[in-house]
Each structure stands twice: as C-alpha cells, then as structure tokens.
Amino acid sequence: MTDSNPRCFRLLVVDDDRDILEFFRQILCYEKSNLSIHSESDISAVKNDFRTTPNLVLEPFDVVTCQQGDEAVDAVKNAVKEGRPFSVVFIDIRMPPGPDGIWTLEHIRTLDPNIEIVIMTGYSDADPFSIASRVPPIHKLLYLKKPLDMNEIHQFASALSMKWHTECELQRVNKGLEESVEARIQELKESERHFKNFLENLGDIAYEIDPSGNVTYTNKAAEILTGKK
C-alpha cells in the first residue's frame, strides 16, 4: 500500500535549469521553526515575498529534483516500488539534451496513474489538448507559465497534494469495500453449499418451487420416492 501521509507530501521537480530547481527547494523545502528566516531571505527570480500573502498556509514538502527526463522516470519508478509515491510532478517541456517533458510524462503516467502533473513552460506553442491526448487524464494535468511565481507554486503544490491524498484515500476505501463485499459473497456461497449438502443427506423429502410452480430442485430422498431427477 502506498504512503499518502498528508503531513509531508513528496514532490518531483524536473527542469534542466539548476536555478529553477533551487528556486523550488527554497520555496518548498523549509522547517517551520525557520520560517521567519526564509520569509525574509532574498530568493532570486521571486516576484512576490511571503509577507504579501500573510494568510498563506505554509507546509514543508519532501522535494526531489531532476535535470533530465530519464532521470525523472527512474525517480518515479523507485518511488512507486518503495511505496512512497510523489503527489505532484512539476516539469518543464524542453530539457535538452535529453528527452522532452512530454516523453517523460508518458512514461511517468504509465508508472503512476495517480500522480498530479504541472507543466511549466515559457513557450506559447504548448498545445494543452495535444498534450492531454498523450498524457491523460486531462483533469490531472495543469499548466504554469514561466517566469514562475512563488505563491502560485506553493498554492499548486498544496492544493494538488491534498487532491491527490483525497483521491488515494477514496481508492483505498473503495478497495476495502470491494474486498468486504467479495468476502461476504464467498461466505454466502459457502453457506449455500453447506445447506445444499445438508438437504442432499436429509432423509426427508426436500424440494424447491419457483413462483410459477415449477420444481427447480429436489434432494435425493425426493428422487428415490418419485424415481425421477
């Protein structure tokens, strides 16, 4: 069973730009005890300071970063294998010299159908419908336009992680219900089998009749008496 503990969500960030990866680590990897220090620090490329949104709920994340698509695919593969999946992947579309973001997402989606995807791009030629056809479903695919905004990133990370957690919990509950129903069906079948065995070995006549008056079952005693099956 996967670990969907909402207290520390795991995020995957994939971008060939080291500054972007550091940007995410600065925003999302922090301890609450040091929150005031990070709130006052000067992070390059940040458009807004945390102080501009005093009501923003800040939660720490476990962030894994990759610079290439194949490296990201391996990270997701290991995460699923270890039962510690990522809730959200933030990924750039163009990451030379390796495979692009769409190729990467196709492989990631195959490995983990539950992960939430946020595509980051500074280009206007990214066609959402074309990408969605290759990396379905569309309701688990969002876009962020570069240059990135600190508050948007944190909001996406928080909201999508909670959405992911809720969906995982719903799947777990549904699976439990399905297993419970299946177990109950097997119990009823076993009970019916024991009851039929009891009737077969009963010395008295036993039979079943449907609502139309047709005999649908007779035990051995009835067959012996009537000479018919």
Side-chain angles (χ1 to χ4, degrees), residues 15-103:
D15 199 299
D16 61 317
D17 189 336
R18 291 181 180 271
D19 291 336
I20 295 294
L21 301 182
E22 180 60 25
F23 178 56
F24 272 84
R25 282 191 288 263
Q26 290 278 5
I27 296 171
L28 301 174
C29 296
Y30 55 82
E31 297 295 334
K32 284 190 174 182
S33 59
N34 296 327
L35 181 59
S36 60
I37 297 176
H38 287 280
S39 297
E40 299 295 333
S41 63
D42 179 19
I43 304 175
S44 62
V46 174
K47 295 167 65 178
N48 298 306
D49 191 88
F50 281 128
R51 291 170 296 178
T52 63
T53 53
N55 295 323
L56 187 65
V57 178
L58 302 176
E59 296 290 345
F61 295 89
D62 179 7
V63 179
V64 175
T65 60
C66 300
Q67 285 189 275
Q68 292 296 305
D70 48 2
E71 180 186 355
V73 171
D74 288 340
V76 172
K77 185 183 301 182
N78 292 332
V80 172
K81 182 179 179 180
E82 295 169 1
R84 300 176 62 239
F86 297 106
S87 58
V88 186
V89 53
F90 291 84
I91 186 169
D92 191 14
I93 289 184
R94 302 182 182 183
M95 298 180 292
D100 64 17
I102 309 306
W103 177 94

Side-chain angles (χ1 to χ4, degrees), residues 167-218:
E167 291 180 353
C168 287
E169 283 298 292
L170 182 60
Q171 290 178 11
R172 183 184 63 81
V173 171
N174 287 340
K175 183 179 180 181
L177 289 174
E178 290 174 359
E179 292 176 348
S180 178
V181 170
E182 181 61 27
R184 182 57 180 158
I185 290 174
Q186 293 304 320
E187 289 177 2
L188 291 173
K189 288 182 178 180
E190 185 68 12
S191 177
E192 181 181 13
R193 186 180 68 82
H194 284 300
F195 181 64
K196 285 295 179 68
N197 286 338
F198 168 75
L199 292 179
E200 286 297 314
N201 296 311
L202 188 65
D204 296 327
I205 295 174
Y207 57 90
E208 292 177 353
I209 301 177
D210 66 17
S212 300
N214 299 312
V215 177
T216 58
Y217 167 78
T218 59

